[in-house]
Amino acid sequence: MGEEKYRDVIRRMTLEEKAGLCSGEDYWHTKAIERLGIRAIMMADGPNGLRKQDEKADHLGINESIRAVCFPLGCLAACSFDRELMYEMGRTLGRECRAEGVSVLLGPAINMKRSPLCGRNFEYLSEDPFLAGELAAAWVQGLQSQGVSACVKHYLGNYQEHRRMTSSSQMDERTLREIYLPAFERVVKKAKPWAVMSSYNRVNGEYVAESYHFLTEVLREQWGFDGVVISDWGGVADRVTGLRAGLELEMPTSHGYNDRLILEAVQEGSLPEEVLDQAVERILKLLERTDTGGRSEAFFDREADHDIAARMAEQSIVLLKNEDGALPLKKEDPIALIGAYGEKPRYQGGGSGHINSFFAPGACEIVGKLGYPVTFAAGFSDTEPGDNQKLLEEAVEAAGKARAAVIFAGLPEEWESEGYDRAGMAMPDYQNELIRQVAMRQPNTVVVLAGGAPVEMPWEPLVKAVLMTYLGGEAVGEAVVRILYGQGNPSGRLAETFPMKLQDNPSYLFYPGEGDRAEYREGIFVGYRYYTTKEMAVRYPFGWGLSYTTFSYGPLSLEQTGREDEVCRLKVEVTNTGDRAGSEVVQLYVGRRGGEVLRPLRELRGFEKIWLEPGETKAVTFSLDERAFAYFDEEAGDWRIEAGAYEIAVGTSARDMVSGVKLSLKGSAPKARRCTLNSTLGDLTANEQSRPLVQPLMERYRESLHRMETGGKVSCEAVPLQMVESMVRYMPLRALLSLGGFPISRKELLELVDRVNEVWESQRPGA
Ligand code: BGC
C-alpha cells in the first residue's frame, strides 16, 4: 500500500474508528475494521521463544501458553558473540510466528545491565551497548526476514524492576547518549525494526511513553525510525499526551476509556486530527508490513527447533575456569553428578518471557541414557531446605567415591523474575556450603552454574572448573553434556563482568534508588568501563571465556584508507595453536588516556567470532568509523572527537589486551563556545589560533613574576615560559586585573576577548 492509499483509507474512517485503532482489542490483538478490510493482528512474547496465549491472557507468565521451544535466553545467547547465530534465532522464531499466526514478536529485550540485581537481566543481552546493539540487530533482521515484526524493548531507562512503572531514571545527557541509547540506536539504524516498545518508567522525570523528545525527536528524527511505537502492557499514564509524543499503539486494550479521551481531545481541538491520522497511518503500515498472506505454508517443527536451541546453547556456554585439564571429562571415568539442577535444569526465568517448553531433559538423564558410569546425588533442594544437611552428606560421600564430581548449582527459580529485583548477588548458603564440602573431599570438582546473572563465588578457588550456562533454554542439558564430555568445544564469552562481590559494582551505592528516583550517578562508568578504568580485580572480566584449544595472535596492523565513512581499518591474524577445532572471539577495544574529557580506559568497538581447525590461521579485519573514537559533547549537543592519540587493541577480554597500535587523530572542530572574561588562560592557549593572541600576556606575566621573585637579579629567561603557562592555566582572564602583577586594564582584556572570539568564530564548521 502506498502512502496515498493509506490516506484514502484514513479518509474513509470515522473518528471513533481512528481513535479505536490506536489501542488493542484485547490482550494480544489489535482491532479489525471489517467494513474497510482492516485486519486484526496478533502479538506475543518473546523474546526467547513463542509465548502465544490462546485464552486467559496475562503478561506475567502465570497462565498457560501453547507448547513451544525455549531458546537460550538473552543472557546466554549474547555470550555467543555471534551475529549469525542471533540471525538464525530470529529467523527460526519468525517461522514459528508465521505458523501460529503471530505478526509481532515482543523482542528483542536490550536494556543495559547496569546492576547484577535487575530482576530481568536474564532476558537482556549485555552491559555493553555495542555488543547488545549488534546482536539484537541480527536477531531483528532474522525475524523480519519472515515478515514478522520485532518490537524492540524496553525503550528507555528500564534497568530495574523495582518500582518499574513509576520510577524515574535520572541521568545526564552524555550517559544517555553513550550507554543507554546506543543499543537502540544501532538496532534502529541497522535493522530497521517495524516496532519499538516504550518502557514503563520515566527518564529525568518524564514518562518515556509521553516523551516527544525520546519518541519523536530522538527515535524518528535523529535515527530515522519509521515503524510503530507500542506501549508496554499497561504502561500508559496519559494517553493523549502519549499520542502527541509519538506513542501510536496502546497495548493491551483500555476497554474504550482511552479511545474516548482521544476522541474528545480531537473534538474539543486540543489534539490536532493530523496527529491521530499520522498514528493510524503508521499502524496501517505495520499491518501491511506483516501481511504474509496467511499462515498456511509455515510449519512449527518443534523437534527441529529444539535441536537448533541445543546448538545455540552449545555455542554460547562459557567455560570460566579449567585447571589441570579437569574438563573435558573422560567417558569411561566414574563421575558423581550432584545437584538438583542436574536432574531438573534451570533454563528460563519468570515473567512475560516464560515459555511453555516442549521438552527440557536434564543433564543427568542424558548422561544416564548414554550409559556412562555416573552416580547421582541431589545435593540440595530449593523447596525442602530441611533435607539439605542429609543431601549434602550423601553428595560428599558420592563425590569421594568418584574420579570427579560435577555440581549443578546456581540461582533458585523464584529468585529471578520480571516484576522484582534480586536481593543480593549471593547463591543460597546451602549451595555454597555443598560446593565447598564436595571440593574439600574431591579434588576434581567441576561446577556447572545456572542463573540469569552473575553470582558471588566464594568457593571458586577450591574447584577445578566452572562452566556458566546462564539460563540456556530447554535444550541446555544436551549442550552441557556435549561440552562436559568434549564433543562440544566451549566458545562463549561473557557479555558482562562478574565482580568479586556486589559492593564492587559501580551502581551499588545508588541502586535501586530512593522512592521513585533512581540516580545513575556512576554515569558512563557501567560494567567493564568502570572495573578496567579503576584497575579493579574482578572474578571474571567482560569478554572472558576459555576453550579446549588455544589461540595465538599476530600483530595488529593499521591502515588509514582515506574513505569518508572510515577512520581506519585494522587487521590481525589468529591461529589455533591447539589440537582441537574451536571458535575464538576476537574483540577490538578503543581507548584514550590523558585527554581533557573523562573516558573509560577502553570500550568495545568491534568483535568477530571465527572457527579455526587445529593449526589454521585466519585474518580478521575491522573497520572503525568516527563514532568509535567520539564522546558525546553535552555543551555542543553532538558527538566530538578529541584531538590526540588513541589506543586500539585486540584482546581476549576487556582486561587482557594481546596486541595494539596507536593512532593520532586531528579531532573534530572545537566546541561552539565563546570567550568571556571568565575563560581561562589555558582555554586560550589550548587553541592554536588564539594562542598567539594571549602570548604577550604570558610574557608580561613572566616578567612581573621574575621581578617579584628575584628583584630582577637573574635574567627573565630563567623562568621558562612553559612553567608560567602551567601556573596560570586555570586562571580566568579577569583575575589578571588583580593577580597579574602588571598593569592591565579591563578595556584591554575586553579587546582581547573580542579578538579571540573572532578567531574562534572563523574556525567553526561552515564559517
Ligand atoms: C513486559 C513486556 C512484555 C509485556 C507483554 C510486560 O509486563 O514488560 O516485556 O512484552 O508485558 O507480556
Side-chain angles (χ1 to χ4, degrees):
M1 241 197 279
E3 301 208 337
E4 195 35 54
K5 189 142 176 219
Y6 299 132
R7 283 193 204 117
D8 184 50
V9 176
I10 293 168
R11 271 194 290 274
R12 286 156 53 214
M13 290 170 83
T14 64
L15 205 51
E16 284 80 356
E17 282 169 338
K18 290 196 274 190
L21 199 67
C22 295
S23 69
E25 165 73 21
D26 57 24
Y27 222 85
W28 299 115
H29 296 89
T30 60
K31 295 193 185 87
I33 305 175
E34 272 160 29
R35 73 174 188 94
L36 295 172
I38 296 174
R39 68 190 181 105
I41 56 170
M42 183 172 197
M43 312 187 185
D45 281 304
N48 53 283
L50 182 53
R51 180 170 169 266
K52 181 186 170 191
Q53 285 187 314
D54 282 334
E55 293 157 35
K56 287 209 202 137
D58 74 285
H59 68 296
L60 291 172
I62 296 163
N63 295 317
E64 283 265 293
S65 48
I66 61 158
R67 287 240 168 229
V69 175
C70 179
F71 291 88
L73 276 75
C75 54
L76 182 67
C79 297
S80 70
F81 275 69
D82 189 338
R83 296 174 184 85
E84 279 170 32
L85 180 146
M86 294 300 281
Y87 182 91
E88 193 183 349
M89 190 192 290
R91 193 181 52 185
T92 310
L93 284 164
R95 266 205 320 263
E96 295 180 358
C97 284
R98 283 190 63 176
E100 290 293 332
V102 169
S103 301
V104 181
L105 189 66
L106 304 175
I110 59 170
N111 300 65
M112 287 294 101
K113 300 189 191 203
R114 174 183 176 229
S115 164
L117 300 186
C118 171
R120 277 184 105 168
N121 274 355
F122 59 80
E123 274 183 75
Y124 300 149
L125 299 176
S126 178
E127 67 187 22
D128 181 84
F130 177 76
L131 178 64
E134 282 290 298
L135 296 179
W139 190 96
V140 170
Q141 282 163 342
L143 183 82
Q144 295 194 164
S145 73
Q146 300 304 300
V148 174
S149 175
C151 182
V152 189
K153 65 191 188 182
H154 309 87
Y155 178 76
L156 165 82
N158 184 186
Y159 310 108
Q160 61 189 50
E161 290 300 282
H162 176 82
R163 302 184 69 84
R164 66 172 170 162
M165 296 181 90
T166 51
S167 75
S168 176
S169 302
Q170 302 289 126
M171 62 184 106
D172 57 64
E173 183 70 13
R174 182 168 175 211
T175 302
L176 265 168
R177 294 283 174 173
E178 292 188 23
I179 304 292
Y180 298 104
L181 284 169
F184 290 101
E185 178 182 2
R186 193 163 282 276
V187 180
V188 166
K189 288 183 174 168
K190 206 168 166 177
K192 311 232 167 295
W194 299 333
V196 162
M197 185 187 289
S198 58
S199 60
Y200 284 132
N201 55 285
R202 318 172 207 222
V203 169
N204 295 333
E206 188 182 33
Y207 276 110
V208 178
E210 293 172 11
S211 167
Y212 185 80
H213 176 60
F214 290 122
L215 299 187
T216 296
E217 289 175 349
V218 175
L219 192 60
R220 292 186 186 279
E221 294 169 8
Q222 295 174 16
W223 300 346
F225 175 66
D226 74 344
V228 171
V229 176
I230 303 176
S231 74
D232 199 347
W233 267 233
V236 169
D238 183 323
R239 182 62 187 108
V240 175
T241 309
L243 192 65
R244 215 182 275 122
L247 172 65
E248 283 84 26
L249 181 56
E250 174 183 11
M251 285 303 288
T253 176
S254 71
H255 299 287
Y257 178 77
N258 279 336
D259 304 357
R260 262 194 309 280
L261 291 184
I262 295 174
L263 189 73
E264 283 163 17
V266 175
Q267 282 167 342
E268 72 191 26
S270 60
L271 178 74
E273 193 166 348
E274 301 82 70
V275 173
L276 177 61
D277 287 355
Q278 184 163 68
V280 170
E281 183 178 325
R282 289 174 179 155
I283 293 169
L284 292 178
K285 193 165 172 187
L286 177 68
L287 301 184
E288 194 191 23
R289 280 173 155 169
T290 55
D291 190 355
T292 54
R295 53 195 272 188
S296 50
E297 83 274 26
F299 170 62
F300 186 174
D301 185 343
R302 289 167 177 74
E303 309 253 351
D305 292 359
H306 177 91
D307 292 344
I308 295 176
R311 188 161 38 77
M312 288 176 177
E314 185 180 319
Q315 287 167 14
S316 310
I317 285 172
V318 189
L319 180 60
L320 293 176
K321 175 174 183 177
N322 193 18
E323 266 175 24
D324 307 329
L327 288 179
L329 304 168
K330 295 190 187 67
K331 62 177 194 277
E332 56 282 1
D333 281 352
I335 309 288
L337 302 178
I338 296 167
Y341 309 150
E343 213 170 9
K344 190 167 174 282
R346 270 241 46 223
Y347 64 92
Q348 66 171 328
S352 58
H354 194 89
I355 303 301
N356 184 2
S357 284
F358 154 70
F359 174 50
C364 295
E365 181 190 330
I366 297 164
V367 183
K369 281 196 184 139
L370 290 169
Y372 300 166
V374 290
T375 55
F376 177 71
F380 64 88
S381 161
D382 290 330
T383 47
E384 312 275 345
D387 298 344
N388 278 337
Q389 185 54 33
K390 191 171 128 278
L391 295 175
L392 181 147
E393 284 160 20
E394 286 168 9
V396 172
E397 200 188 322
K401 289 187 190 145
R403 182 73 55 81
V406 179
I407 309 177
F408 296 86
L411 292 173
E413 200 167 2
E414 318 73 69
W415 287 27
E416 326 184 69
S417 173
E418 176 175 340
Y420 55 89
D421 291 330
R422 252 195 314 161
M425 226 182 96
M427 286 165 55
D429 290 343
Y430 52 82
Q431 291 197 30
N432 283 333
E433 188 54 18
L434 169 76
I435 299 173
R436 198 181 68 79
Q437 292 211 24
V438 169
M440 301 296 277
R441 173 69 70 88
Q442 171 53 260
N444 293 316
T445 293
V446 175
V447 176
V448 177
L449 272 184
V455 291
E456 287 160 2
M457 302 182 194
W459 37 259
E460 195 259 10
L462 303 175
V463 304
K464 282 275 163 66
V466 183
L467 201 59
M468 183 65 192
T469 69
Y470 276 102
L471 297 178
E474 64 177 47
V476 69
E478 284 135 274
V480 166
V481 170
R482 283 180 55 81
I483 288 179
L484 283 177
Y485 284 94
Q487 286 99 23
N489 189 354
S491 66
R493 303 289 183 264
L494 289 182
E496 65 187 316
T497 312
F498 274 48
M500 288 288 182
K501 55 183 192 306
L502 178 65
Q503 287 81 347
D504 294 347
N505 177 264
S507 76
Y508 174 71
L509 293 174
F510 326 112
Y511 188 94
E514 289 171 351
D516 276 336
R517 268 183 91 81
E519 296 276 355
Y520 286 48
R521 294 197 195 170
E522 70 281 11
I524 55 171
F525 293 94
V526 173
Y528 73 85
R529 286 169 167 75
Y530 175 78
Y531 301 112
T532 54
T533 309
K534 283 203 70 174
E535 295 186 6
M536 253 170 101
V538 295
R539 183 68 75 191
Y540 298 110
F542 172 90
W544 175 262
L546 303 169
S547 163
Y548 293 153
T549 187
T550 48
F551 302 97
S552 79
Y553 284 69
L556 181 67
S557 66
L558 175 125
E559 187 194 349
Q560 279 175 285
T561 51
R563 279 175 46 171
E564 227 178 56
D565 57 343
E566 186 178 67
V567 172
C568 62
R569 200 171 284 187
L570 290 309
K571 185 171 161 193
V572 65
E573 288 193 344
V574 185
T575 306
N576 180 347
T577 47
D579 54 10
R580 294 184 52 132
S583 292
E584 172 69 329
V585 175
V586 186
Q587 304 162 39
L588 188 80
Y589 293 89
V590 174
R592 166 166 164 75
R593 288 176 216 244
E596 272 203 8
V597 178
L598 290 183
R599 289 184 98 118
L601 178 65
R602 60 179 70 98
E603 297 177 271
L604 185 76
R605 296 298 191 224
F607 64 89
E608 290 299 331
K609 190 168 198 174
I610 47 167
W611 170 262
L612 292 167
E613 295 295 330
E616 189 184 354
T617 298
K618 272 187 191 154
V620 179
T621 54
F622 298 97
S623 164
L624 292 181
D625 60 9
E626 290 195 337
R627 190 64 183 271
F629 300 90
Y631 74 97
F632 192 81
D633 180 344
E634 288 201 4
E635 228 178 285
D638 205 354
W639 296 93
R640 178 170 178 251
I641 298 177
E642 237 191 322
Y646 288 78
E647 293 169 19
I648 311 173
V650 277
T652 51
S653 82
R655 192 190 56 194
D656 307 291
M657 297 302 113
V658 287
S659 178
V661 287
K662 279 216 163 71
L663 174 66
S664 204
L665 294 179
K666 281 213 291 278
S668 35
K671 292 185 218 176
R673 62 172 176 187
R674 290 193 64 75
C675 179
T676 68
L677 286 180
N678 286 327
S679 300
T680 65
L681 286 157
D683 291 342
L684 274 58
T685 51
N687 183 298
E688 289 302 317
Q689 309 258 352
S690 54
R691 193 183 165 80
L693 298 177
V694 78
Q695 203 73 9
L697 284 187
M698 294 289 177
E699 296 284 358
R700 284 163 75 185
Y701 187 80
R702 174 160 73 166
E703 271 165 32
S704 88
L705 202 66
H706 164 249
R707 233 181 295 111
M708 278 189 293
E709 293 286 309
T710 68
K713 279 191 217 98
V714 291
S715 138
C716 166
E717 267 66 52
V719 185
L721 197 57
Q722 205 187 350
M723 187 178 152
V724 175
E725 277 195 34
S726 304
M727 286 166 72
V728 297
R729 188 186 304 157
Y730 306 127
M731 191 187 277
L733 286 176
R734 65 176 151 71
L736 286 176
L737 293 171
S738 50
L739 304 176
F742 58 89
I744 184 158
S745 68
R746 194 178 161 83
K747 182 165 167 279
E748 206 180 327
L749 283 178
L750 285 171
E751 279 166 13
L752 173 67
V753 164
D754 285 345
R755 265 179 287 134
V756 170
N757 275 327
E758 266 168 41
V759 302
W760 282 5
E761 193 63 47
S762 68
Q763 287 178 320
R764 294 221 176 108

